[in-house]
Amino acid sequence: MEEDEPELEAGLEAALELAPAVQAAIEQVFPSQDPLDRADFNAVEYINTLFPTEQSLANIDEVVNKIRLKIRRLDDNIRTVVRGQTNVGQDGRQALEEAQKAIQQLFGKIKDIKDKAEKSEQMVKEITRDIKQLDHAKRHLTTSITTLNHLHMLAGGVDSLEAMTRRRQYGEVANLLQGVVNVLEHFNKYMGIPQIRQLSERVKAAQNELGQQILADFEEAFPSQGTKRTGGPSNVLRDACLVANVLDPRIKQEIIKKFIKQHLSEYLVLFQENQDVAWLDKIDRRYAWIKRQLVDYEEKYGRMFPQEWCMTERIAVEFCHVTRAELSKIMRTRAKEIEVKLLLFAIQRTTNFEGFLAKRFSGCTLADGTVKKPEVPPPSTNPFLEDETGTETDEIVIEKSDTDKPKKPKVPDNPFHGIVSKCFEPHLYVYIESQDKLKYLSVVPILRNLGELIDRFVADFKAQGPPKPNVDEGGAVLPSCADLFVYYKKCMVQCSQLSTGEPMIALTTIFQKYLREYAWKILSGNLPKTTSSSGGLTITSLLKEKEGSEVAKFTLEELCLICSILSTAEYCLATTQQLEEKLKEKVDTILVERINLTGEMDTFSIVISNSIQLLVQDLDAACDPALTAMSKMQWQNVEHVGDQSPYVTSVILHIKQNVPIIRDNLASTRKYFTQFCIKFANSFIPKFINHLFKCKPISMVGAEQLLLDTHSLKMVLLDLPSIGSQVVRKAPASYTKIVVKGMTRAEMILKVVMAPHEPPVVFVDNYIKLLADCSNDTFQKILDMKGLKRSEQSNMLDLFRLRLPAPPPGGDSTGSLSLSAPTPEQESSRIRKLEKLIKKRL
């Protein structure tokens, strides 16, 4: 028994090990705090809990009795559960059999219901079969009666139609014919029956006879030969027009064509090519003649033709087509006699007549013509879009503030625009050339052209001189640019009223020419020169000053002039872009791609860039003597660190003199002032670093003084955009980044110079970490600034080459190797460490 007990215990322990999921489910269903119910039950720990000390063993018998009682209760519970499960299987099988029997009974009832439904459906079909037959019979009978009635109506109508046609009773025929045609449409599916087909042929024959008869009656009433019409309209012809509405549309078109041709035959005789009244100077007589004819038609024939025929408008439209053809022919023959005044007079009278037609008629007859109704242009934000009605004599000033006020384009409402005036387009070169050949611009009150305008601008600028400096209101835009674009506006409006085709392209070419001339003659040509000679705007010419001499700087008036030219170029750049958009809206769609003022906008951009470069060169050259003085100081003899050096004060003085003036004069073009600051920083900082390298040798105290000066310059540069201003603004992030990066490099150079060169390995490693520049030349300059001997420099260079990081695989292994720049956090941390080191040494 003692040997079997361990095996029994091991078997019980193995049987009680459950899966973790099962154990978790049991704990969730039967939560218990009893240690005996835990899955990780440890008998030793449990016994130690019951008997923590030797004295507690005194009540061991009591504990054993409690455990045995608990075991006995568990056995009783297990026995009860096992006995309760004895009859569960039998009860389940009995419940399953009962469910199967219930399902079989349900299927039987469903089948009975289905059989009864099929029988009911068959019974209903038998009941309704007779009703369906009666319905079909009723429908067929109704159709037969209706068809017989239609047939009776058709047969009677055809007989009556033929009789009325012979008697010319067009009033009755108009109503009867439409009814016969409508009834005949019901017999389209019965055309296979000979009698129906015969009636259809009789109807077609009657229609053809009516058409020929009506045309003959109109020919008799309005003979094509001769212009005299003895009789007025008759009731027969009025009724005949009503019949023509029902007949083939070709009959109606033939009547209209013959009547209009006969009505305009007198016009072709009176205004033949060889007549004096046919020339452009008497073009008014053509339009006066048609107006009289339209009034005469309304009085005599207005009631003869139906209102929907729009005969008055058709006569006017045909007159326009004939007039355009006749004018084109006569202008080709006498092209040399066309002058600008004569051409514009004829165009003006023609456009007025087209406006008269637009007020009088709707343009509904133009659908088949060559002139299309104008399309509604899309919405635009172009400031050039203004009310152009009556702009021939009214001046339209393009204010600079208008660029921020978009206006919707006016929707053209003249469907007759160009119906006659198109014939003048081939001859508009006379008008276009007058703008470029010093002739005149016709309808503008002040006779002048673009060439004369540019010359006047040049003369006015020389006579009046540069604009007066006014730092309170900012740099003023030259007034000549507004005059130029006002003039462009007038030219564009007039030309677009004459034509939207090739003449607009020619006018655009002239615009481009004089935009470039304005940019070079007025703007670029008046920029101040950096030296008295005409050697160009190079920085080298600014640096040819003798040591100790004063640098030639721009005066206050010259600085204001440069800013004014810059503002004017910026205004011209924006307005030229708007002019291009306006031209594209005015010109025909197929010619839009040929409108391109990008080159002219680039020209103004060049003027802006040159102006900014002049401002940068002036301030840069003013600071150059101070930097030269810095590089020539004996920095190895500096004994103590004091306030900022005199050269720093000089640089700050020049900055405070120039920058406020430039900022105030560029207040309206803030972005270009930012460009000026960025370009000056990009020019000044590298030059400052180059002069730092020239400061050699440098003592420790000298390096500390230079570091202090560099920090002062850094603070001034960071404050450059708002220096001397009462309103302090935060500098742009792009500018701040450039200044911090450049001046931090200068500070790192000085801090490397201040570091001891012993031991050499530490010095080289610090240089590589701080400057992130593995160029031999830069390292050589650092050694020169420290004043090391050539032998020491040679050893340092050899060590520097050995300590350089290996180049990346496949990369360029040239002598100049660049390291990745440290992050701003790393750089700031290194700077703080160096500052602590310097303070500690001091």
Side-chain angles (χ1 to χ4, degrees):
M1 287 294 293
E2 293 180 356
E3 294 178 358
D4 294 340
E5 285 182 358
E7 296 180 359
L8 180 61
E9 291 178 359
L12 290 174
E13 292 178 0
L16 291 176
E17 291 182 358
L18 302 177
V22 176
Q23 185 65 38
I26 293 173
E27 292 177 357
Q28 185 176 2
V29 176
F30 303 106
S32 175
Q33 300 297 330
D34 193 345
L36 295 174
D37 294 335
R38 295 178 58 183
D40 56 346
F41 175 75
N42 190 326
V44 176
E45 292 182 358
Y46 182 70
I47 294 173
N48 291 334
T49 303
L50 295 177
F51 308 104
T53 61
E54 292 182 0
Q55 291 78 7
S56 61
L57 292 176
N59 57 352
I60 187 172
D61 294 334
E62 183 181 354
V63 173
V64 171
N65 291 333
K66 288 181 179 180
I67 292 175
R68 287 176 179 175
L69 179 60
K70 190 172 184 179
I71 292 172
R72 190 179 303 111
R73 290 177 179 175
L74 288 176
D75 290 339
D76 293 340
N77 291 337
I78 293 171
R79 190 180 303 108
T80 302
V81 172
V82 170
R83 290 176 180 176
Q85 296 295 324
T86 304
N87 299 327
V88 170
Q90 184 177 355
D91 295 340
R93 285 192 296 273
Q94 184 178 355
L96 179 61
E97 290 175 358
E98 291 177 357
Q100 290 175 347
K101 289 179 181 180
I103 292 172
Q104 290 177 359
Q105 293 175 0
L106 181 60
F107 274 117
K109 292 179 180 180
I110 292 173
K111 185 177 181 182
D112 292 341
I113 293 172
K114 183 178 180 182
D115 294 340
K116 291 179 181 180
E118 291 177 354
K119 291 178 182 180
S120 299
E121 183 180 2
Q122 186 65 27
M123 187 181 300
V124 171
K125 288 182 179 179
E126 292 176 357
I127 294 172
T128 57
R129 185 182 296 117
D130 296 336
I131 298 176
K132 288 183 179 180
Q133 291 178 355
L134 291 175
D135 288 341
H136 288 312
K138 179 183 177 180
R139 189 182 305 112
H140 295 161
L141 182 61
T142 303
T143 304
S144 300
I145 294 173
T146 304
T147 304
L148 287 175
N149 289 335
H150 288 167
L151 181 59
H152 176 71
M153 293 169 57
L154 181 61
V158 172
D159 293 338
S160 301
L161 183 62
E162 291 175 345
M164 291 178 183
T165 300
R166 289 191 295 270
R167 294 194 297 270
R168 284 182 165 78
Q169 296 177 349
Y170 296 131
E172 292 79 2
V173 169
N175 297 326
L176 180 60
L177 179 59
Q178 185 62 52
V180 170
V181 172
N182 293 338
V183 172
L184 186 60
E185 291 178 356
H186 293 85
F187 291 93
N188 288 335
K189 56 185 177 181
Y190 303 120
M191 286 300 172
I193 302 174
Q195 290 81 359
I196 302 298
R197 186 169 58 251
Q198 183 180 1
L199 287 173
S200 177
E201 292 174 356
R202 288 175 61 187
V203 172
K204 291 181 180 179
Q207 289 177 327
N208 293 334
E209 184 180 355
L210 277 171
Q212 298 300 325
Q213 190 171 296
I214 291 173
L215 289 177
D217 291 344
F218 271 93
E219 183 67 27
E220 182 180 353
F222 304 101
S224 58
Q225 299 296 332
T227 60
K228 298 294 182 181
R229 298 183 289 277
T230 57
S234 63
N235 293 333
V236 175
L237 295 180
R238 184 176 66 250
D239 295 337
C241 292
L242 297 177
V243 176
N245 271 336
V246 185
L247 297 175
D248 191 334
R250 289 178 294 180
I251 302 298
K252 172 185 172 182
Q253 296 298 331
E254 188 69 21
I255 294 172
I256 295 173
K257 181 179 178 181
K258 287 185 177 182
F259 180 81
I260 294 177
K261 181 178 180 182
Q262 194 273 341
H263 210 71
L264 295 179
S265 58
E266 180 182 352
Y267 172 72
L268 295 175
V269 175
L270 291 176
F271 294 90
Q272 288 183 356
E273 186 177 353
N274 55 2
Q275 299 294 328
D276 291 339
V277 294
W279 188 228
L280 300 180
D281 58 346
K282 297 181 177 62
I283 197 170
D284 278 342
R285 298 189 181 184
R286 293 178 181 266
Y287 305 133
W289 181 89
I290 188 59
K291 291 178 182 178
R292 292 195 301 271
Q293 292 301 314
L294 293 178
V295 173
D296 180 67
Y297 166 81
E298 290 288 351
E299 294 176 353
K300 293 183 179 180
Y301 307 102
R303 298 182 180 179
M304 186 176 73
F305 295 98
Q307 191 72 22
E308 64 269 15
W309 284 22
C310 303
M311 286 299 295
T312 309
E313 181 177 329
R314 291 181 185 275
I315 293 172
V317 170
E318 184 62 25
F319 166 81
C320 292
H321 293 326
V322 173
T323 302
R324 185 173 64 186
E326 292 295 322
L327 289 176
S328 298
K329 183 168 62 175
I330 194 172
M331 283 192 292
R332 283 196 301 269
T333 304
R334 304 170 64 177
K336 296 182 179 180
E337 302 178 28
I338 300 177
E339 298 179 353
V340 176
K341 284 186 177 180
L342 180 61
L343 178 64
L344 292 175
F345 167 78
I347 292 174
Q348 185 62 42
R349 294 297 184 269
T350 302
T351 53
N352 290 342
F353 176 70
E354 292 173 350
F356 163 77
L357 294 180
K359 295 177 181 179
R360 178 66 176 79
F361 306 113
S362 63
C364 60
T365 62
L366 296 174
D368 299 330
T370 57
V371 181
K372 297 182 179 179
K373 292 185 178 181
E375 297 179 356
V376 178
S380 173
T381 58
N382 194 334
F384 275 86
L385 293 172
E386 299 175 1
D387 187 3
E388 294 169 357
T389 304
T391 53
E392 296 172 2
T393 57
D394 298 337
E395 286 197 5
I396 301 175
V397 179
I398 306 172
E399 296 293 344
K400 189 171 182 181
S401 60
D402 290 346
T403 56
D404 298 329
K405 300 178 182 178
K407 299 179 181 179
K408 293 184 179 180
K410 183 181 178 181
V411 179
D413 54 357
N414 186 359
F416 296 92
H417 177 69
I419 191 171
V420 179
S421 57
K422 281 283 185 183
C423 66
F424 298 110
E425 285 194 8
H427 306 279
L428 283 178
Y429 65 88
V430 177
Y431 167 79
I432 300 299
E433 289 177 354
S434 70
Q435 304 303 302
D436 197 26
K437 291 186 177 179
L438 305 182
K439 293 182 180 179
Y440 50 82
L441 183 60
S442 61
V443 261
V444 178
I446 303 175
L447 301 180
R448 64 193 185 195
N449 61 27
L450 293 171
E452 293 175 342
L453 196 62
I454 297 296
D455 293 340
R456 185 175 70 82
F457 290 161
V458 175
D460 290 347
F461 191 91
K462 291 181 179 179
Q464 299 174 3
K468 302 299 181 182
N470 189 353
V471 296
D472 295 333
E473 299 181 2
V477 176
L478 298 179
S480 58
C481 69
D483 296 339
L484 178 68
F485 285 103
V486 166
Y487 193 80
Y488 276 4
K489 177 68 176 269
K490 293 178 180 178
C491 295
M492 178 180 61
V493 170
Q494 291 174 2
C495 189
S496 64
Q497 291 176 347
L498 306 179
S499 170
T500 57
E502 288 293 337
M504 288 291 290
I505 302 299
L507 186 66
T508 302
T509 303
I510 293 178
F511 283 177
Q512 292 174 311
K513 172 184 176 182
Y514 288 104
L515 282 173
R516 291 191 296 269
E517 286 197 11
Y518 184 84
W520 296 124
K521 289 184 178 180
I522 307 299
L523 301 181
S524 184
N526 288 306
L527 284 173
K529 306 300 180 183
T530 54
T531 59
S532 58
S533 62
S534 59
L537 304 178
T538 60
I539 191 62
T540 55
S541 62
L542 294 170
L543 303 180
K544 292 180 179 179
E545 302 291 337
K546 293 183 178 180
E547 182 178 358
S549 64
E550 292 294 331
V551 179
K553 289 182 58 181
F554 289 140
T555 62
L556 175 62
E557 290 77 9
E558 289 175 330
L559 287 177
C560 293
L561 173 61
I562 296 173
C563 295
S564 180
I565 290 176
L566 191 153
S567 300
T568 303
E570 189 269 340
Y571 172 70
C572 291
L573 174 64
T575 313
T576 301
Q577 183 178 1
Q578 297 160 5
L579 176 64
E580 180 185 41
E581 295 173 0
K582 182 62 179 177
L583 287 170
K584 289 182 178 180
E585 293 178 6
K586 291 290 186 181
V587 80
D588 292 338
T589 306
I590 58 176
L591 300 177
V592 169
E593 297 297 331
R594 295 173 62 183
I595 302 292
N596 187 357
L597 301 182
T598 305
E600 288 64 42
M601 289 186 277
D602 292 342
T603 301
F604 288 116
S605 298
I606 292 174
V607 175
I608 293 173
S609 178
N610 290 342
S611 301
I612 295 175
Q613 190 62 32
L614 272 179
L615 296 173
V616 171
Q617 288 176 357
D618 179 61
L619 182 57
D620 202 19
C623 298
D624 190 65
L627 297 180
T628 303
M630 177 192 76
S631 62
K632 293 184 178 181
M633 287 182 62
Q634 301 297 323
W635 293 102
Q636 74 274 17
N637 298 329
V638 177
E639 297 179 354
H640 62 276
V641 178
D643 201 356
Q644 63 186 23
S645 301
Y647 75 90
V648 176
T649 305
S650 177
V651 171
I652 295 175
L653 178 63
H654 288 302
I655 290 176
K656 288 184 177 180
Q657 287 177 349
N658 282 32
V659 173
I661 297 174
I662 297 172
R663 181 184 59 244
D664 294 338
N665 280 273
L666 295 181
S668 59
T669 55
R670 192 72 186 177
K671 63 179 180 179
Y672 294 115
F673 174 69
T674 302
Q675 289 187 19
F676 159 77
C677 295
I678 291 175
K679 287 189 176 182
F680 174 72
N682 284 328
S683 174
F684 176 81
I685 294 176
K687 181 183 292 187
F688 175 73
I689 292 176
N690 289 335
H691 280 77
L692 271 183
F693 286 133
K694 296 178 182 179
C695 299
K696 54 186 179 181
I698 303 177
S699 64
M700 177 64 68
V701 178
E704 292 173 359
Q705 180 63 51
L706 277 174
L707 184 60
L708 176 63
D709 296 341
T710 303
H711 181 73
S712 300
L713 287 176
K714 179 180 178 181
M715 293 298 102
V716 171
L717 290 176
L718 288 175
D719 192 43
L720 180 70
S722 59
I723 192 169
S725 175
Q726 296 179 353
V727 180
V728 179
R729 294 183 179 179
K730 186 178 180 181
S734 56
Y735 171 77
T736 303
K737 183 178 179 181
I738 292 173
V739 172
V740 170
K741 182 179 179 181
M743 297 305 290
T744 300
R745 175 176 170 80
E747 292 175 341
M748 292 299 102
I749 291 173
L750 292 173
K751 290 177 180 180
V752 170
V753 172
M754 293 168 59
H757 60 277
E758 295 291 343
V761 174
V762 176
F763 176 78
V764 171
D765 290 343
N766 286 336
Y767 168 82
I768 294 175
K769 290 179 182 180
L770 290 175
L771 287 182
D773 185 356
C774 294
S775 170
N776 290 335
D777 295 336
T778 305
F779 188 69
Q780 178 71 55
K781 293 176 181 178
I782 296 292
L783 298 180
D784 291 339
M785 293 174 69
K786 290 184 69 65
L788 297 181
K789 298 178 180 179
R790 288 299 176 184
S791 58
E792 293 177 332
Q793 291 187 13
S794 178
N795 296 332
M796 282 283 190
L797 286 172
D798 293 339
L799 181 61
F800 173 72
R801 295 187 186 97
L802 293 175
R803 303 292 292 179
L804 285 178
D812 186 13
S813 58
T814 58
S816 178
L817 188 64
S818 62
L819 294 174
S820 60
T823 63
E825 293 78 6
Q826 295 174 341
E827 191 173 88
S828 177
S829 176
R830 292 169 182 171
I831 293 173
R832 287 196 298 268
K833 290 180 180 178
L834 281 174
E835 289 176 348
K836 291 180 180 179
L837 179 62
I838 294 171
K839 291 179 180 179
K840 186 176 181 181
R841 292 189 52 161
L842 291 175

